[in-house]
Amino acid sequence: MTTPITMTKTAIATAITETVRIIYCYSYQRISSKKQLRGTGITRQLESSAAVCEEKGWTLDTTFRLTDIGKSAFHGRHLDDKAALGGFLKAVDDGLIKRPAVLLVESLDRLSRENIMDALELFIRILNTGISIYTTIDRITYNREDIKSNFGPLIISITILCRAHEESLIKSERTKKSWHYAAERLKAGGIGRSNIYPHWIDISSGKPLIIEKEANIIRSVFDLCIDENMSYAQITQHLVAKHGNKYRISPAGLKKLFTKKRVLGIYERNYEDIKSYPAIIEEARFYAAQAAIKNRIKRSNGRKTSSCLNFFKSLLKCGCCNAAVVISGSNSIYQSFRCNGRYRYKNCENKLTLSVKKFQPILIKAVACIDKDDLLASASNRKKLTLTKALNAKEAELEDKQTKIGNLAALVEAGSTTGVQRVVALESEINDLQQEMLSIQDQLDMMNSPILEASLDHINSFHQRFQLDKVSSEDQRPFIDAVSTTIEMIVINPSPEKGQLAIVNIRLLSGIELRLVVFKTYAALLYRGSKCLLRIEPRE
C-alpha cells in the first residue's frame, strides 16, 4: 500500500521559494592585449558563460559590461575604477549588485595573476561579499559558506592562483631579458626588430639608412607646423593635395610625429631612449614644433567645442545590429558617429560614419521642433489609453492566476506534488506579471508628469544656446536628462537612396515617431508620417 505524500505549509513555502529563487550571474571576460581581439578569446568566454547559465537555470545579468581588454591582471590594472572588474567591485561595495549572485570566469587566472598574497586577498574579498565564483573550465563553485566547512576548494584556488602568477612572472622575465639583449645590440650599432623602424628608414642592407623621399615629406610636415603655423587639419589637407591619399596622416598620427622622438632617430621604450638609426630632424626643430602647437592651443584657450560632446548619449542605436552609436576619433574636426558593433567588435555591416560637427546640430534642431501642444498632446492621450488598457489586462490576468493558486490550496494540502509544481509555476508567472505592471505604471506616471513639459522647455532653451555657441560640457547632463524624458530611442540606418546619407527614426515616449532624412550635404528633412515638418540646412 502506497503511503500518501504529506507536506506542511512551511515545507510548501520553502519548496516554492527555493524553486523560483533567481540566481543572478555576472560574466567577467579579460584579454591581456588589444591584439587578442583578432582571436576568439572574448567570444569563447562569453559563450561558455551563456552555456553555464542555460544549463543551471541562472539569470545572466548584463547590466554591467564586464569585459577588460588590454588590462593586465599581473600588474593589477584590471582593478582600477575605470576597468570593468574594478568598477564591478565598486558596484558591489555600493550595493548595486543583485543577490544571490555568481561571478562567472573562465578560470581564476582571469581574476588575477598577481602575487599569491594579493591574488588571494582579491579572491577572498569577493567571496566575503556573499558573491560566489564559478569557473567554467573546471566547473568549480567557490562559495564562502562551503569553504568554511570544507577548505578543499580554497587549496585548489591557491594552487591555481600561484601557477597563474608564476607563468606571468616567467613570461615577464623572458620579455625583459629579450628587450635587454635587443637594447644592447642597438647600442652597439646593430639592427633590431623591424617594427621599431619608421617607414623612412630602410634596413634591408643590414644597417639603417634614410629613404630621402619619405624623409623629405616628414620634414615638410615640420615646416608646415613651424613656419606656416598650420593646424593638424590643414597639414593633412596640404599633404593630400600635394602627394595624394597615400600620405594622408590622421591627427593622432601627426601628434605622435611631433611628440615621439622617432624623427630624432631614437627608439623609446620603458622610459629608456636608445639611439637606433639616423635622425631626419634637428633636435631644435623638433622642440620648435612642440612649442608652435602649444602656442596654438593657448590662443584657442584649449576650448573644447560642444560638438565634441555626445548630447544624445545612450539614445543613439544602430538600425542594423541595435548596438550603440558612439563618437570615434580624438580630434573634434574628424570625430564621427559610428556603430559600436562595427567600430569596436567588427560584427556589424553598417559602415555609415556621420560627422559629429555636422550631424549633431541636425538632431538638436529636430528635437527642438517637437511641439508640446499639438505633437505630444494627441499622441500622449493615445499612448495613455493604450498603456491603461494594457495595465487593466495585466491586472485581470493577475487576479485570475491568484484565484487559481487559491483553488490549488486543497490539492497542495493533500500532499500532491503536481499541485506544488503548478503553484510554483503560477508564482513565477505572477512575479513576471507584477514586473510588467510596474514597468507600465512607470510609463503612465511619466506621461502624466509635469516633467515632460519642463523637459521640452529645457530642450528649446538648450537649442537656442547651441545656435549661439554658448553650450558647454556642463550643459550635457541636464540636456541628456531632458531628452530621456521625451525620446525613447534614436535609430540610425544607412540610406540606400542616391544622394542620401542616413534615415534616422526618432521614437518619442509619447508614441510618435519622427523620420529624419539626412543628405550627403548634411541638409535634412524632418517628417511626421508623410508630412514634411521642417527642412534643416547644414550648419556653417
Side-chain angles (χ1 to χ4, degrees):
M1 183 175 178
T2 305
T3 304
I5 300 172
T6 59
M7 298 179 68
T8 64
K9 290 183 178 180
T10 303
I12 293 169
T14 302
I16 292 173
T17 301
E18 290 180 350
T19 305
V20 299
R21 185 185 185 195
I22 298 175
I23 296 179
Y24 296 96
C25 293
Y26 299 86
S27 176
Y28 174 64
Q29 309 86 41
R30 183 185 60 78
I31 53 177
S32 301
S33 69
K34 293 181 180 179
K35 290 182 180 179
Q36 291 177 321
L37 278 172
R38 300 170 187 168
T40 59
I42 293 294
T43 303
R44 182 189 69 245
Q45 294 174 56
L46 284 169
E47 288 176 350
S48 297
S49 297
V52 167
C53 288
E54 184 176 355
E55 175 189 333
K56 294 185 173 293
W58 293 344
T59 299
L60 187 61
D61 190 333
T62 56
T63 306
F64 293 88
R65 185 170 184 84
L66 299 179
T67 302
D68 275 327
I69 298 171
K71 299 290 185 181
S72 170
F74 180 62
H75 298 288
R77 296 192 180 100
H78 64 321
L79 300 179
D80 296 342
D81 287 346
K82 292 183 179 180
L85 186 59
F88 175 76
L89 294 175
K90 186 177 185 303
V92 171
D93 295 338
D94 293 342
L96 301 177
I97 301 301
K98 299 173 184 176
R99 307 299 179 87
V102 178
L103 181 62
L104 298 177
V105 291
E106 186 177 51
S107 176
L108 289 182
D109 64 6
R110 297 296 92 192
L111 280 183
S112 181
R113 285 181 173 269
E114 293 183 279
N115 68 78
I116 186 57
M117 298 304 293
D118 291 334
L120 190 58
E121 180 182 5
L122 172 64
F123 176 77
I124 293 174
R125 173 188 170 187
I126 294 172
L127 296 187
N128 278 340
T129 64
I131 295 177
S132 301
I133 299 173
Y134 183 88
T135 50
T136 58
I137 284 185
D138 47 25
R139 304 177 70 83
I140 296 178
T141 301
Y142 299 93
N143 178 281
R144 184 177 185 273
E145 297 304 318
D146 291 344
I147 289 177
K148 283 168 63 176
S149 57
N150 175 20
F151 57 82
L154 182 61
I155 301 300
I156 294 174
S157 69
I158 292 174
T159 303
I160 294 173
L161 292 171
C162 281
R163 187 179 68 238
H165 175 68
E166 184 179 349
E167 288 173 352
S168 292
L169 185 62
I170 291 171
K171 183 179 178 182
S172 176
E173 291 299 325
R174 286 175 179 170
T175 302
K176 287 178 182 178
K177 286 181 180 179
S178 175
W179 163 241
H180 175 73
Y181 293 142
E184 291 301 317
R185 187 166 61 251
L186 285 172
K187 290 174 183 177
I191 296 294
R193 297 171 186 170
S194 60
N195 62 353
I196 75 171
Y197 297 98
H199 67 273
W200 59 81
I201 295 294
D202 178 26
I203 58 171
S204 59
S205 64
K207 62 179 182 178
L209 299 173
I210 297 174
I211 304 172
E212 287 298 333
K213 180 182 177 182
E214 301 291 332
N216 284 335
I217 292 175
I218 300 301
R219 292 178 185 123
S220 73
V221 169
F222 278 80
D223 294 340
L224 294 172
C225 176
I226 300 168
D227 302 329
E228 304 297 331
N229 197 30
M230 285 190 181
S231 66
Y232 288 169
Q234 291 170 328
I235 291 172
T236 299
Q237 291 169 2
H238 181 89
L239 289 176
V240 171
K242 188 172 182 178
H243 304 287
N245 274 319
K246 178 183 175 183
Y247 292 96
R248 178 185 293 275
I249 306 178
S250 68
L254 287 171
K255 182 178 180 181
K256 186 181 293 185
L257 192 64
F258 292 133
T259 55
K260 301 296 182 181
K261 297 179 180 178
R262 302 179 78 193
V263 292
L264 300 178
I266 292 173
Y267 177 54
E268 300 171 274
R269 182 181 173 88
N270 296 337
Y271 307 104
E272 183 180 7
D273 294 350
I274 299 177
K275 182 71 175 177
S276 307
Y277 46 87
I280 62 170
I281 294 289
E282 295 176 358
E283 190 170 318
R285 198 77 173 152
F286 174 72
Y287 290 111
Q290 292 187 11
I293 293 167
K294 287 179 181 178
N295 288 334
R296 192 178 299 120
I297 292 173
K298 285 179 181 178
R299 286 196 299 273
S300 65
N301 294 321
R303 180 175 175 267
K304 186 177 182 181
T305 62
S306 58
S307 58
C308 297
L309 300 171
N310 185 356
F311 290 114
F312 296 89
K313 196 173 183 180
S314 79
L315 290 174
L316 301 177
K317 299 290 182 183
C318 170
C320 298
C321 69
N322 202 40
V325 172
V326 299
I327 290 179
S328 65
S330 58
N331 185 289
S332 62
I333 295 174
Y334 297 102
Q335 282 185 322
S336 59
F337 286 111
R338 296 184 185 181
C339 167
N340 204 33
R342 179 176 181 82
Y343 173 63
R344 185 171 182 181
Y345 303 108
K346 315 298 182 187
N347 60 2
C348 179
E349 297 301 319
N350 187 354
K351 299 179 181 179
L352 181 65
T353 60
L354 295 166
S355 166
V356 177
K357 289 181 73 68
K358 297 178 180 179
F359 177 62
Q360 188 153 244
I362 295 174
L363 278 183
I364 293 173
K365 178 71 174 177
V367 299
C369 291
I370 298 172
D371 192 297
K372 61 189 175 189
D373 295 323
D374 300 324
L375 192 57
L376 286 180
S378 58
S380 295
N381 290 333
R382 289 197 301 272
K383 185 70 177 283
K384 288 175 190 175
L385 182 60
T386 301
L387 290 172
T388 301
K389 286 182 178 179
L391 186 60
N392 291 338
K394 297 293 181 185
E395 287 174 346
E397 188 178 353
L398 177 63
E399 186 176 346
D400 179 62
K401 292 185 184 299
Q402 289 172 334
T403 301
K404 287 180 180 178
I405 286 182
N407 294 338
L408 288 168
L411 195 61
V412 173
E413 287 285 354
S416 169
T417 53
T418 302
V420 171
Q421 291 171 356
R422 184 59 187 141
V423 168
V424 168
L426 284 169
E427 288 281 0
S428 179
E429 292 170 13
I430 286 173
N431 182 60
D432 291 341
L433 267 175
Q434 289 172 334
Q435 293 301 318
E436 291 173 13
M437 289 169 66
L438 283 173
S439 176
I440 294 172
Q441 189 61 57
D442 286 343
Q443 293 181 62
L444 271 172
D445 291 342
M446 178 62 73
M447 300 297 293
N448 292 319
S449 172
I451 293 176
L452 187 63
E453 186 173 338
S455 295
L456 289 176
D457 289 337
H458 186 89
I459 290 171
N460 286 319
S461 173
F462 177 89
H463 171 252
Q464 292 171 8
R465 295 199 307 279
F466 186 84
Q467 293 289 91
L468 298 172
D469 286 325
K470 292 184 178 180
V471 172
S472 65
S473 58
E474 288 75 19
D475 294 308
Q476 184 180 26
R477 185 71 259 169
F479 180 73
I480 291 174
D481 291 340
V483 295
S484 65
T485 60
T486 309
I487 299 172
E488 179 184 353
M489 189 184 302
I490 300 174
V491 182
I492 301 176
N493 286 286
S495 176
E497 299 295 329
K498 187 176 180 180
Q500 294 180 5
L501 270 178
I503 304 295
V504 182
N505 296 314
I506 304 173
R507 300 176 187 172
L508 306 183
L509 289 171
S510 61
I512 285 289
E513 184 166 309
L514 304 178
R515 183 166 54 91
L516 193 63
V517 179
V518 182
F519 296 92
K520 289 185 177 180
T521 60
Y522 283 95
L525 296 175
L526 181 65
Y527 290 90
R528 176 188 174 191
S530 59
K531 181 181 178 181
C532 182
L533 302 176
L534 180 70
R535 177 179 177 85
I536 304 173
E537 298 297 336
R539 194 181 187 198
E540 294 297 332

